[in-house]
Amino acid sequence: MPVLPIRHDSWTTRVAVACALLVTAAAPALAGKVTGELELSAPAGKPPLRGKAYLDRIENPYKAPRDVDPFPYMIVVLEGDAAKMPEPPPQEAWDLVGDRFDRPLIAVVPGSEVLIRNKGRGTPTLMIDGHADLLPHSPLNPRGERGFKAGAAGTLYELRDEDTPHITGGVVVVATPYHAIAMASAKDARKGSFSLSDVPDGTWTLRIWYRTGWLDGVEQTVEVKGSKTTSVSTIKIPAGLPTAASK
Amino acid sequence: MFWSKIWLFLVALGAAAALTVALALPPAAHRERVRDERQRLATACDVVGIELELAARNHVDLIGTFARAAEIVGGLEQVDPGMPLDAEKGKRLRQTAGTLVSQIKVAGADPDAPTPPGLRPNFAWMLDASGRAVARWGLDEDDTGDVLAGRWLVDDALAGYLRDDVWLDKGTLYMVAGAPVVSRGDKGFVGAVLMGWRLDLDVSAQFVQAFKDTDQDAEDRSINIGFFGGGKAITKSSRDVNLDSDILDRYGAVDKPEEMGEDCRRIAPFFAHDGKHEYAVTVARLPGEIASQDGFFALYTPRPAAPSFGAAVGKAKHELGGGFPWALVIVGFVVAFAGGVVLMVLEADRPLRRLQADAVKLAKGDGERMAEDQHHGRFGSIARSVNIQIDKVSRDAKAAKKDLDQLLGPAPEGSLGAVDLLGGVPPSPSLPGMSLPPRPAAPAAPPPSEFRFGDQGAAPARPAAGP
């Protein structure tokens, strides 16, 4: 391939570089936003009783207990043309904020580094079930950090503390960076919402990952055009939250 | 002799029975004691389980009351989970919690009476609706802002449940209770409160107070308790016994039933050593969060001593009230011995002496026969036998005299007849019809008349050997 004898200090070069920067900077602005609502077909039910001690737990007599909130465990993912995928982010920070992670489930793309930051007081010894070599087997001190590299898409990393049973979290590897964690509605516990930004134009398939697998019966096709916000019709989550992995 | 034999038989029977009891009873009693120890351990285990459950119930009742206190509800209503914490508000809330805790008393008890250990919590923590620590009293008071949500009890409390749990925190075991804090307005759940009660030596000792051996005997049958979690010993009711490492080593091999509540009855006791003594140990798992950290409690008591004579004597000393009845044993032995001697004198010694005296009298010629009616039993039989022999000899002598008289004719007046003749010149063997034995030579020893019977009458005095 012939190389043009362009002088770097010429004004044409400077203009070309400036145009290129402008085009690059303008590209995300052309990407669209995808929002939507989720609705549970049936109440999620009472939270499971974990670690019963001497007594059965007693319902507070002044106000009915809350149902379990499944939305933090739901990740809405847009899957599409691999050619439109940007470079994977180098790092995904995940904070341990005491006796839990700030998000119980996160999604990363293949090759990302998951950086665990201990912002609590404890010194958990974190480990990943089935991937003992990914994290060093030693306590993570307060303010300490620890990371591991995500593998292939579809992999689920389940982290837990060796010393305490309640510190758990999940990292699911998805093929696309266009994903978001659902948020419960403040007014209605059965409703949630999501918002994805910087989605390139094109046709995407919306899927939802719940805890350990893809939810069945919730896939949708989403058309994204320009910088407009695309609203997805309310997605009905089947009762019982059936996942492919649970079948 | 009859009563002597009966006495001997009875004494032998008594001795045999005593020996049998002495040999057979300690092992049987030991087996019974081992069964008893197992039963005591299982009972103590059940009792501790009940006491822990009762304590948990009291804790939940208390935390429910605490969560409804106006000062606590008001303090948490002012906290916005999305905003940074106000240190001043947190401090006031901590002081309020401390004041409330100090007012905890036993219901219905004397207000001036000291609060028993284990009733007042060691810490009280207040959390906002997101599970963030707003204020801490009693433990880690300077730490706020960290999130406790995620812990099972905290999640349940934030969701609206009251419950208990058992936590292991920095090497200390706590019984914990949590409750939601409900707004008096329309804010719903504005947070949760937690209280924790440390399981320490004093509290542990309370659990086994009923099984403390207060007897002053040498054998200690007290049952002690130790709590374990995370592969370590946490606390125990007595520092005098150190079985921790042995119990931890053996706990892993214990066959545990599926249902945790059956541990006390289904887990077989094992034995552990503290270097000097052996202990029977039973274990039961602790429920709640600590269960996932191999939490359990162990009850142990000194193992019953192996059966031995010394142990049996020691046991008898204890059962009989402080001392073995050596005096009674000695008196019993003396009575048995004296009874035997008396019976022997009455039935053997005295009749033998009478027979001996009678025989001496007969030998001295003071009588012609032995007095049969004065001797009874076997001694009378001897006298009768001797008299029969005397009678036989007498009859033979008379018959011989009669034969001689017929042969030689009647003896002249004033002579002794044939006997007299034979005493002088022996009849000639050539006489027809006569076959007399040869006359024995004159004895070298003194004649029988020189024999003397001693008073005790055993052996005749032997003549002195001639030169």
Side-chain angles (χ1 to χ4, degrees):
Chain A
M1 187 175 178
V3 178
L4 294 174
I6 298 175
R7 291 180 56 182
H8 292 282
D9 56 349
S10 70
W11 67 272
T12 51
T13 305
R14 291 177 184 175
V15 169
V17 170
C19 289
L21 286 173
L22 278 173
V23 169
T24 307
L30 296 174
K33 188 174 181 182
V34 178
T35 61
E37 287 193 343
L38 309 168
E39 184 176 355
L40 300 175
S41 299
K46 295 176 181 177
L49 175 60
R50 295 171 296 172
K52 175 184 174 292
Y54 287 102
L55 306 176
D56 290 324
R57 63 183 180 185
I58 304 163
E59 288 191 7
N60 159 60
Y62 299 101
K63 182 174 173 57
R66 293 176 181 147
D67 280 349
V68 68
D69 180 7
F71 294 110
Y73 297 90
M74 286 185 192
I75 294 177
V76 180
V77 182
L78 292 179
E79 291 184 341
D81 190 353
K84 296 174 183 171
M85 304 297 172
E87 287 295 315
Q91 243 178 24
E92 178 71 32
W94 197 24
D95 292 341
L96 189 59
V97 290
D99 287 305
R100 70 171 185 187
F101 288 98
D102 60 349
R103 294 158 288 168
L105 179 69
I106 63 170
V108 297
V109 294
S112 299
E113 185 188 10
V114 179
L115 183 67
I116 301 166
R117 301 182 297 195
N118 185 4
K119 294 191 172 180
R121 298 185 306 136
T123 53
T125 303
L126 297 173
M127 54 189 295
I128 304 175
D129 288 335
H131 303 273
D133 54 334
L134 283 183
L135 288 176
H137 186 261
S138 59
L140 177 59
N141 292 323
R143 311 299 164 205
E145 294 180 348
R146 190 157 293 171
F148 67 94
K149 196 161 234 180
T155 307
L156 175 67
Y157 299 102
E158 292 178 295
L159 279 82
R160 62 183 175 87
D161 177 18
E162 191 180 69
D163 303 319
T164 55
H166 54 267
I167 297 180
T168 58
V171 177
V172 59
V173 185
V174 294
T176 162
Y178 308 114
H179 53 74
I181 299 172
M183 289 178 60
S185 164
K187 295 179 181 175
D188 189 346
R190 289 172 61 176
K191 290 186 176 175
S193 61
F194 65 91
S195 177
L196 293 159
S197 55
D198 300 334
V199 181
D201 290 358
T203 303
W204 302 87
T205 301
L206 185 149
R207 301 177 73 189
I208 299 175
W209 179 277
Y210 177 67
R211 287 186 183 270
T212 57
W214 297 106
L215 275 177
D216 278 348
V218 297
E219 290 85 358
Q220 287 198 15
T221 302
V222 179
E223 288 283 340
V224 178
K225 286 182 180 174
S227 59
K228 290 192 300 184
T229 297
T230 305
S231 292
V232 179
S233 58
T234 301
I235 301 169
K236 297 278 187 184
I237 308 294
L241 300 162
T243 60
S246 63
K247 282 188 174 178
Chain B
M1 293 294 279
F2 175 76
W3 291 112
S4 296
K5 286 182 178 176
I6 293 293
W7 182 260
L8 177 66
F9 176 75
L10 290 176
V11 169
L13 193 66
L19 195 63
T20 303
V21 167
L23 292 177
L25 202 59
H30 184 256
R31 285 194 294 274
E32 182 65 28
R33 175 73 191 283
V34 168
R35 278 196 294 272
D36 178 50
E37 288 301 338
R38 287 188 170 205
Q39 186 60 37
R40 284 183 73 233
L41 281 174
T43 303
C45 183
D46 282 336
V47 168
V48 170
I50 291 168
E51 288 183 348
L52 285 166
E53 185 177 332
L54 191 62
R57 199 169 295 281
N58 289 333
H59 297 163
V60 169
D61 286 347
L62 188 61
I63 195 73
T65 305
F66 186 77
R68 292 195 300 275
E71 301 92 328
I72 299 296
V73 176
L76 288 176
E77 277 179 330
Q78 296 174 18
V79 179
D80 183 346
M83 299 295 289
L85 292 174
D86 184 333
E88 192 56 35
K89 286 181 182 174
K91 186 179 175 184
R92 280 203 299 272
L93 201 53
R94 184 177 72 232
Q95 289 169 343
T96 300
T99 304
L100 289 173
V101 167
S102 67
Q103 294 170 353
I104 294 172
K105 292 280 183 184
V106 177
D110 180 1
D112 296 329
T115 305
L119 183 65
R120 280 187 187 150
N122 297 96
F123 70 78
W125 293 348
M126 281 62 69
L127 316 178
D128 67 11
S130 69
R132 186 174 49 164
V134 176
R136 281 183 161 101
W137 172 86
L139 182 67
D140 301 331
E141 291 187 348
D142 296 332
D143 290 336
T144 55
D146 57 317
V147 177
L148 277 83
R151 299 193 91 139
W152 300 335
L153 175 137
V154 175
D155 283 353
D156 279 343
L158 291 171
Y161 294 95
L162 293 90
R163 64 165 288 181
D164 68 303
D165 206 345
V166 185
W167 287 0
L168 179 60
D169 188 78
K170 297 175 187 169
T172 304
L173 202 59
Y174 293 96
M175 293 188 77
V176 188
V181 177
V182 185
S183 167
R184 302 193 173 206
D186 58 354
K187 290 185 176 178
F189 297 113
V190 292
V193 287
L194 311 180
M195 281 183 173
W197 289 259
R198 186 170 55 236
L199 285 174
D200 55 14
L201 187 142
D202 291 338
V203 177
S204 302
Q206 277 190 323
F207 288 135
V208 289
Q209 183 66 34
F211 300 94
K212 190 171 178 60
D213 186 0
T214 54
D215 288 350
Q216 296 301 313
D217 59 331
E219 190 176 17
D220 181 16
R221 300 182 68 190
S222 295
I223 294 178
N224 280 300
I225 188 170
F227 289 91
F228 301 80
K232 294 176 182 172
I234 308 297
T235 186
K236 53 191 172 184
S237 59
S238 170
R239 293 194 181 97
D240 298 336
V241 184
N242 187 9
L243 302 169
D244 302 343
S245 57
D246 208 7
I247 290 175
L248 282 168
D249 288 346
R250 291 167 190 267
Y251 176 73
V254 168
D255 189 17
K256 304 170 191 74
E258 195 170 329
E259 282 293 322
M260 199 178 285
E262 296 177 354
D263 282 4
C264 290
R265 296 284 161 185
R266 298 276 299 277
I267 293 180
F270 57 87
F271 301 107
H273 302 260
D274 69 345
K276 291 181 290 185
H277 302 104
E278 191 172 42
Y279 291 79
V281 184
T282 191
V283 295
R285 288 168 289 179
L286 289 167
E289 189 178 296
I290 188 71
S292 61
Q293 297 162 285
D294 277 340
F296 69 96
F297 66 83
L299 290 157
Y300 42 89
T301 184
R303 195 181 179 191
S308 67
F309 180 74
V313 169
K315 180 73 176 171
K317 280 171 69 176
H318 173 62
E319 294 295 331
L320 294 171
F324 191 77
W326 288 113
L328 274 178
V329 171
I330 292 170
V331 166
F333 177 77
V334 168
V335 167
F337 182 77
V341 168
V342 166
L343 286 173
M344 192 182 72
V345 167
L346 290 176
E347 292 196 324
D349 195 60
R350 285 174 62 179
L352 186 60
R353 282 172 182 266
R354 278 200 300 273
L355 184 65
Q356 178 193 15
D358 215 5
V360 168
K361 197 184 293 180
L362 185 65
K364 286 181 176 175
D366 293 342
E368 294 182 352
R369 291 169 60 81
M370 300 186 77
E372 289 182 28
D373 54 347
Q374 292 180 8
H375 305 289
H376 304 286
R378 294 183 178 182
F379 298 105
S381 177
I382 293 172
R384 273 193 302 279
S385 299
V386 169
N387 285 344
I388 288 170
Q389 187 62 21
I390 289 172
D391 290 345
K392 188 180 175 188
V393 169
S394 176
R395 279 196 304 273
D396 289 348
K398 283 180 181 174
K401 179 176 177 293
K402 189 177 177 183
D403 290 342
L404 281 175
D405 286 345
Q406 287 176 352
L407 183 65
L408 301 176
E413 194 69 27
S415 74
L416 294 175
V419 173
D420 189 38
L421 289 170
L422 290 172
V425 180
S428 169
S430 62
L431 288 174
M434 287 289 293
S435 178
L436 293 174
R439 192 175 180 87
S449 61
E450 291 186 11
F451 279 107
R452 287 197 310 226
F453 293 90
D455 288 340
Q456 300 304 317
R462 292 200 178 277

